[in-house]
């Protein structure tokens, strides 16, 4: 999230990047946390920013997007931006994960598509292993996010990459359907995969988020 946060800071916004529980340390730490701990760490960063700023927007990538929607339902920000956010795991992947986790707690990352842009390459995750327990916790979080999404009442910018094979292709449409009635904007990034903040359209994404927040008054 750092390149996007830096772009927003250059545009004049105060920014804060939440380090979610179990992230930024080791796969073993990630295997031990619950979805409630992810929510707690995101909420802590959100509340800290609210103490310093009159209006706050939430911007989240992947699971972070689901967390942003979950928090927005109970404690509305000025606006929410979701990037590559799922609201459910692919059914086949979910079933396979449940079975595999009983015999293989951690799986290796077999394919690592390193960003082409050298400026954002240092921000790519160094993890080479993924704990399957985290996938189970993600399922629980996404179920709760689907449940509360109809309660979200703030402007939304929903961003998804055309080349994202990680999340279900209809994720963006489902977010918009469940959050029906709010001012919503959909942005498809034509050349981006799942980690759109580091992919080839990342500058387009930064410009779109900057303009969206300017319109909806976060400061």
């Amino acid at each position: 999230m750092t390149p996007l946060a830096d772009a927003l800071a250059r545009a004049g916004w105060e920014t804060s990047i939440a380090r979610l529980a179990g992230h930024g340390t080791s796969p073993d730490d990630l295997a031990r946390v619950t979805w409630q701990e992810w929510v707690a760490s995101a909420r802590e960063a959100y509340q800290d920013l609210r103490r310093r700023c009159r209006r706050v927007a939430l911007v989240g990538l992947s699971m972070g997007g689901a967390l942003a929607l979950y928090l927005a339902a109970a404690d509305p920000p000025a606006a929410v931006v979701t990037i590559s956010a799922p609201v459910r795991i692919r059914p086949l992947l979910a079933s396979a994960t449940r079975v595999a986790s009983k015999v293989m707690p951690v799986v290796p990352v077999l394919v690592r598509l390193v960003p082409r842009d050298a400026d954002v390459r240092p921000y790519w995750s160094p993890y080479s292993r993924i704990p399957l327990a985290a996938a189970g916790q993600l399922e629980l979080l996404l179920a709760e996010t689907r449940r509360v999404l109809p309660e979200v009442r703030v402007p939304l910018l929903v961003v998804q990459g055309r080349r994202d094979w990680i999340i279900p292709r209809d994720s963006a449409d489902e977010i918009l359907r469940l959050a029906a009635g709010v001012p919503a904007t959909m942005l498809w990034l034509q050349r981006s995969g799942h980690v759109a903040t580091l992919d080839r359209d990342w500058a387009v994404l930064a410009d779109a988020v900057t303009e969206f927040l300017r319109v909806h008054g976060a400061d």
Side-chain angles (χ1 to χ4, degrees):
M1 295 298 288
T2 300
L4 178 56
D6 288 347
L8 293 173
R10 288 192 297 271
W13 280 287
E14 179 83 11
T15 62
S16 173
I17 302 177
R19 185 170 72 82
L20 302 177
H23 289 67
T25 54
S26 72
D28 294 329
D29 285 344
L30 185 57
R32 289 190 286 266
V33 298
T34 65
W35 71 270
Q36 292 95 335
E37 290 175 280
W38 293 332
V39 170
S41 50
R43 181 179 286 119
E44 181 180 0
Y46 179 28
Q47 291 175 344
D48 175 67
L49 201 55
R50 292 193 79 159
R51 285 190 288 269
R52 293 184 279 132
C53 302
R54 185 173 57 87
R55 288 163 60 82
V56 175
L58 296 174
V59 182
L61 168 69
S62 191
M63 181 181 79
L67 283 169
L69 293 168
Y70 181 86
L71 293 177
D75 189 4
V80 171
V81 178
T82 70
I83 305 163
S84 308
V87 285
R88 64 181 75 249
I89 296 177
R90 293 180 182 275
L92 183 59
L93 177 61
S95 299
T97 299
R98 291 190 207 103
V99 173
S101 63
K102 298 175 182 178
V103 294
M104 188 186 302
V106 177
V107 295
V109 176
L110 299 178
V111 178
R112 292 177 59 80
L113 301 176
V114 178
R116 297 185 181 188
D117 189 334
D119 291 338
V120 299
R121 201 173 296 153
Y123 303 107
W124 191 252
S125 171
Y127 282 13
S128 59
R129 297 177 297 131
I130 298 175
L132 293 180
Q137 292 300 311
L138 176 59
E139 269 199 280
L140 296 174
L141 169 64
L142 297 184
E144 286 298 306
T145 300
R146 291 194 302 274
R147 182 181 65 81
V148 302
L149 246 173
E151 301 170 25
V152 173
R153 292 289 183 269
V154 301
L156 297 179
L157 171 60
V158 179
V159 183
Q160 193 164 325
R162 290 285 186 192
R163 301 183 180 184
D164 186 350
W165 56 269
I166 299 293
I167 65 174
R169 189 166 180 80
D170 62 351
S171 292
D173 291 336
E174 188 162 7
I175 291 172
L176 297 177
R177 180 179 63 79
L178 291 172
V182 305
T185 303
M186 177 68 214
L187 172 63
W188 284 99
L189 298 175
Q190 301 301 322
R191 302 181 300 164
S192 294
H194 187 61
V195 188
T197 51
L198 301 180
D199 216 325
R200 284 181 287 179
D201 296 315
W202 80 270
V204 174
L205 169 64
D207 289 344
V209 174
T210 298
E211 180 59 25
F212 176 77
L213 296 183
R214 184 176 290 118
V215 169
H216 293 288
D219 61 8

